[in-house]
Amino acid sequence: LGRRRVATDIGKAPRRISRMLTDPDQRVFDKTIRGVGGVILIDQSGSMQLDTDDLWQIIKASPGCVVIGYSHQTGSSDEPNIWVLADRGKVVKEVRRGNGGNGVDGPALALALSMRRKSEPFIWLCDGYVTDGQGDQQRTELTKQCISIVQKHGIHMTYDVEETVEALKKVARGDKLPTKLTRGLEY
């Protein structure tokens, strides 16, 4: 995902010789172009109600991106709580379901930011309710910290799958996404 071959008029070995007569620009050579890339962070808690089809829809709309899901199982330290679903063209065979609660919004955000390349778009699909790992409770300090991170790093938050796919289409067209908070994080 994220790479494709396009015709060009500059190159070493002509690969599209049939275009010599049909293309006015005589683009007979090939070049590989890559997607814009970016990072998509997905809250897979129970309140988001995302199913496997929703996650595949996002993965397919984001070629060349890093897609990270997260969710927390309250009371269990054995279950993984952050996972990579796609990494710059490589995609998992089976999409993992969420564990139920948020609980790791801060660490997931930090991990996703560490995987972001300079000036890449960053989309965070979240309902805006960020919680800690101790009882899955919403805390004012954590909410303020997440708001600060969103504003500092120019993160575009989306509330549902359709909004996320629309934002990915804008990125593919070359549009820059504005910094945006979702309903739960707005103060």
Side-chain angles (χ1 to χ4, degrees):
L1 293 172
R3 294 182 189 175
R4 64 178 188 209
R5 298 185 75 75
V6 295
T8 182
D9 58 348
I10 300 171
K12 293 180 182 178
R15 299 196 194 287
R16 300 175 184 230
I17 206 71
S18 63
R19 295 181 71 115
M20 183 69 87
L21 299 174
T22 59
D23 186 359
D25 295 328
Q26 295 184 343
R27 293 174 289 200
V28 296
F29 302 100
D30 271 354
K31 74 175 179 179
T32 302
I33 60 170
R34 293 186 176 153
V36 176
V39 176
I40 295 104
L41 182 62
I42 303 172
D43 173 4
Q44 288 184 253
S45 64
S47 63
M48 292 297 292
Q49 300 177 352
L50 297 175
D51 61 12
T52 306
D53 293 334
D54 293 333
L55 296 170
W56 276 114
Q57 188 178 353
I58 294 168
I59 291 169
K60 288 177 182 174
S62 57
C65 291
V66 175
V67 181
I68 301 169
Y70 71 93
S71 181
H72 176 69
Q73 180 68 41
T74 306
S76 173
S77 60
D78 296 340
E79 286 289 319
N81 51 24
I82 300 173
W83 43 86
V84 177
L85 300 169
D87 189 359
R88 308 204 187 277
K90 298 175 185 170
V91 183
V92 296
K93 290 180 183 177
E94 191 174 309
V95 173
R96 180 174 170 51
R97 291 196 47 86
N99 294 326
N102 286 42
V104 290
D105 295 284
L109 199 51
L111 173 72
L113 283 169
S114 73
M115 297 179 83
R116 181 186 195 187
R117 292 181 181 159
K118 186 178 179 181
S119 72
E120 276 187 326
F122 191 116
I123 300 172
W124 183 13
L125 172 58
C126 178
D127 57 8
Y129 298 105
V130 294
T131 62
D132 63 8
Q134 300 167 342
D136 206 29
Q137 298 296 314
Q138 193 170 12
R139 308 240 187 259
T140 306
E141 306 85 41
L142 180 60
T143 302
K144 288 181 180 178
Q145 180 186 16
C146 286
I147 290 170
S148 170
I149 291 171
V150 166
Q151 292 172 339
K152 179 180 178 184
H153 295 283
I155 296 171
H156 183 84
M157 292 186 72
T158 57
Y159 191 76
D160 57 19
V161 174
E162 292 77 23
E163 192 179 349
T164 304
V165 171
E166 282 302 313
L168 289 166
K169 287 178 183 177
K170 288 180 183 177
V171 168
R173 286 194 305 260
D175 297 345
K176 184 167 173 31
L177 295 176
T179 301
K180 179 181 153 208
L181 294 168
T182 58
R183 291 178 254 188
L185 286 179
E186 293 173 339
Y187 265 103

